[in-house]
Amino acid sequence: MHDVLIFGASRGLGLCLAKACILRGEKVAAMVRAESDTAALSELGVSLITGDAFSVDDCMATIKQAGAKRVISVLGGKNAAGQRIDALGNLNVIEALEEAAPQTRFLLGTSLGCGDQWDSLAEGAQRMLGEAIKAKNQAEQRLEQSTLAWMIARPAGLSHQPATGQYRVLAGRDDAGNYLPRADVASAMLEIFAEDERLHKAWTILGPVDPA
């Protein structure tokens, strides 16, 4: 049995989430593709389960094997064929949870600009992020229609800078603090995940407001 199962943990934000959970003393599992570089996860002591999020059967088998109390997905990007994992992969995770572990708490990581935030994005950001946000919106909409104990996190732009411990979790968004370190986003996501009052809502994660 594991405390947390993470989809999309081999790099970036997912790896930061795995590190943060391990530091909290939690037992973490992650689904990884056979060709993924898993050295960092292995060094952390994460339990690795081989599978592909483009397969709903792999997602279901992973969920059953991990037996986790909580599940996080930060799947994103494209495969070699140009398919976006943001949509189909997350849709498969949601379907698998409904079938195999409907009582499990689930946190979906998407992006600033999803849902009702699209119109507030600058035109340049819409052009750059449009395809990804469209895919993430499919997952958000499907999740909102489910009966799972879900939460959605919409982080702003991510950087590789060290954690600062300075971030804001908002029900909406503003035009400040639009970039922050992945490690801070991971901390914010785990904060959201731990609080019952944040269930069935989407939360925006932003950096601190510049005092100047």
Side-chain angles (χ1 to χ4, degrees):
M1 298 293 290
H2 295 83
D3 297 300
V4 183
L5 167 63
I6 303 174
F7 290 87
S10 62
R11 57 189 175 85
L13 177 56
L15 182 57
C16 287
L17 281 162
K19 289 178 181 177
C21 289
I22 293 291
L23 286 172
R24 293 174 180 221
E26 296 186 300
K27 189 174 182 182
V28 180
M31 188 175 84
V32 294
R33 291 176 298 164
E35 65 272 24
S36 294
D37 180 355
T38 59
L41 290 172
S42 296
E43 186 175 341
L44 288 171
V46 173
S47 300
L48 304 178
I49 303 172
T50 302
D52 190 332
F54 281 111
S55 165
V56 68
D57 291 337
D58 281 6
C59 291
M60 195 170 304
T62 296
I63 288 165
K64 290 178 179 179
Q65 183 176 336
K69 303 171 185 175
R70 295 170 291 146
V71 174
I72 302 172
S73 178
V74 286
L75 291 168
K78 300 179 182 179
N79 66 3
Q83 290 177 294
R84 292 211 70 95
I85 196 74
D86 320 54
L88 184 55
N90 283 318
L91 293 172
N92 285 339
V93 172
I94 294 165
E95 181 179 341
L97 279 170
E98 288 180 321
E99 178 68 24
Q103 304 305 314
T104 303
R105 182 172 292 199
F106 178 57
L107 175 61
L108 174 65
T110 59
S111 173
L112 183 73
C114 285
D116 58 2
Q117 297 179 351
W118 172 255
D119 289 340
S120 62
L121 283 183
E123 186 176 332
Q126 289 183 344
R127 285 196 302 269
M128 182 173 64
L129 301 174
E131 181 185 350
I133 288 179
K134 181 179 179 180
K136 294 177 190 298
N137 276 339
Q138 291 181 48
E140 282 199 9
Q141 290 162 9
R142 173 66 176 84
L143 183 58
E144 289 169 352
Q145 294 166 2
S146 78
T147 58
L148 298 174
W150 60 266
M151 302 157 168
I152 294 170
R154 295 172 176 165
L158 306 175
S159 78
H160 291 292
Q161 298 301 313
T164 66
Q166 302 295 313
Y167 55 81
R168 296 176 294 142
V169 177
L170 307 176
R173 61 155 294 182
D174 56 36
D175 293 325
N178 284 343
Y179 285 89
L180 69 169
R182 285 173 171 82
D184 284 335
V185 171
S187 295
M189 288 181 68
L190 295 180
E191 175 186 304
I192 291 168
F193 213 15
E195 298 176 356
D196 291 346
E197 61 268 25
R198 298 190 187 274
L199 280 165
H200 303 125
K201 297 176 184 176
W203 299 94
T204 304
I205 303 171
L206 297 172
V209 177
D210 188 341

